[in-house]
Amino acid sequence: MAKIEEILALEHLEKNIFRGVATETSLPRTFGGQVAGQALVAAVRTVDPAYSVHSLHGYFVRPGNPAKPIVYLVDPIRDGRSFGTRRVTAVQDGQAIFTMSASFHVQDEGIEHQDEMPPVPDPEELSASADSEDPGNLWARREWPEWDLRRVPEDRIFRRPGIVSQQQVWFRVRDPLPDDNVLHVCTLAYMSDMTLLGSASVAHPDEKTQGASLDHAMWFLRSFRADDWLLYDQTSPSAGFGRALTQGRIFDRDGRMVAAVVQEGLTRYLR
């Protein structure tokens, strides 16, 4: 399996045009996190380093072919004094498979607050559950061996009143990454598509559904390292008509909320 640095190392073909590598996978279509992460790298490559990415909004419009590379076309929408905007289209075989808008900010000073991180067991306590025979855990370890993913058991999740479907996952890149903030941000964009849609299935453990990411939004709130432990606190507030809304808050070990994610995914019954 390719390392995340290799997955995110795009080839610069022409001004505002980049190409991402195809990677080995057992998935029948390109992993959505790979497309989002590569698209964000392409956008970042066209922005002055004084600007940091603070949000992205993407739509998965067609399934990607995992055996083929993807070309990313960047449209430099705006470069302002405080904010910049880029639109990225991911293309395979002449057709768009993903579109994304990304916003960049020079950082300002203002009010500060955040929710508290929920009480959870430390990731080191979960090594036994990570090695369980659960088919989902086994598949995730085979598909993403470079990631250490440890689910919090359901009986150890702090249940918030009124929340119908919850899931919590500790994660990190196993090997140390370079001190490159852009790499850590784009790595988190890649990772943010992992496990999130699964939070919708927690309330329906016996139902067999077809899952796929439909759209994906992400906000980067504070600095972090993707090779340190991060908690992905996930909920699914609604599901219906073959779609599920999911959302996640990402905290570091010190309890700082470093990112937030909202995604809608396909969850229709298998026929």
Side-chain angles (χ1 to χ4, degrees):
M1 295 290 184
K3 291 184 175 296
I4 190 64
E5 301 98 308
E6 300 168 335
I7 294 171
L8 299 179
L10 302 191
E11 180 184 0
H12 190 181
L13 299 180
E14 181 56 87
K15 184 177 180 179
N16 298 332
I17 303 177
F18 303 86
R19 180 165 56 201
V21 298
T23 60
E24 181 183 353
T25 180
S26 61
L27 293 170
R29 54 182 176 269
T30 306
F31 171 54
Q34 175 181 324
V35 184
Q38 290 182 340
L40 188 57
V41 171
V44 169
R45 293 268 195 94
T46 70
V47 175
D48 189 295
Y51 294 76
S52 300
V53 59
H54 75 88
S55 69
L56 64 86
H57 296 71
Y59 285 89
F60 299 92
V61 294
R62 289 185 179 87
N65 184 339
K68 293 184 177 181
I70 302 171
V71 173
Y72 296 91
L73 311 177
V74 182
D75 187 359
I77 300 295
R78 178 176 182 265
D79 288 304
R81 289 185 299 176
S82 297
F83 289 90
T85 306
R86 295 293 184 269
R87 182 180 295 129
V88 185
T89 303
V91 177
Q92 273 188 337
D93 295 325
Q95 292 186 314
I97 64 169
F98 177 74
T99 64
M100 183 187 78
S101 293
S103 182
F104 298 80
H105 189 209
V106 295
Q107 307 297 330
D108 286 318
E109 293 184 357
I111 62 172
E112 292 189 26
H113 65 258
Q114 68 157 75
D115 288 347
E116 291 185 4
M117 184 173 78
V120 290
D122 291 334
E124 292 82 4
E125 298 180 42
L126 305 177
S127 57
S129 65
D131 291 331
S132 72
E133 294 304 309
D134 178 81
N137 289 339
L138 292 172
W139 180 86
R141 290 206 306 277
R142 288 195 299 267
E143 180 65 26
W144 297 299
E146 72 276 19
W147 290 87
D148 197 344
L149 300 168
R150 304 190 184 187
R151 298 175 189 268
V152 177
E154 287 193 40
D155 60 358
R156 302 191 67 180
I157 294 177
F158 177 76
R159 298 295 176 182
R160 303 195 294 275
I163 303 299
V164 66
S165 195
Q166 288 181 252
Q167 180 172 264
Q168 292 172 332
V169 182
W170 283 104
F171 68 91
R172 66 176 177 180
V173 178
R174 292 182 185 275
D175 297 328
L177 295 176
D179 295 329
D180 177 356
N181 182 62
V182 170
L183 175 61
H184 288 266
V185 166
C186 295
T187 296
L188 190 61
Y190 175 99
M191 176 273 150
S192 64
D193 192 38
M194 293 181 192
T195 74
L196 182 57
L197 189 55
S199 65
S201 299
V202 173
H204 311 274
D206 299 323
E207 299 289 356
K208 302 297 183 183
T209 59
Q210 176 187 359
S213 303
L214 298 176
D215 59 22
H216 195 84
M218 190 170 188
W219 295 263
F220 301 93
L221 307 174
R222 293 171 180 85
S223 61
F224 61 89
R225 292 189 64 90
D227 51 5
D228 286 341
W229 284 113
L230 298 169
L231 175 69
Y232 207 171
D233 180 44
Q234 306 167 346
T235 62
S236 178
S238 179
F241 304 102
R243 306 187 310 273
L245 180 67
T246 58
Q247 54 193 21
R249 305 179 301 169
I250 300 176
F251 298 86
D252 66 12
R253 286 290 294 261
D254 295 327
R256 298 164 60 249
M257 189 187 301
V258 301
V261 187
V262 176
Q263 182 185 90
E264 188 179 43
L266 185 70
T267 54
R268 64 189 174 200
Y269 290 126
L270 283 175
R271 296 183 177 86

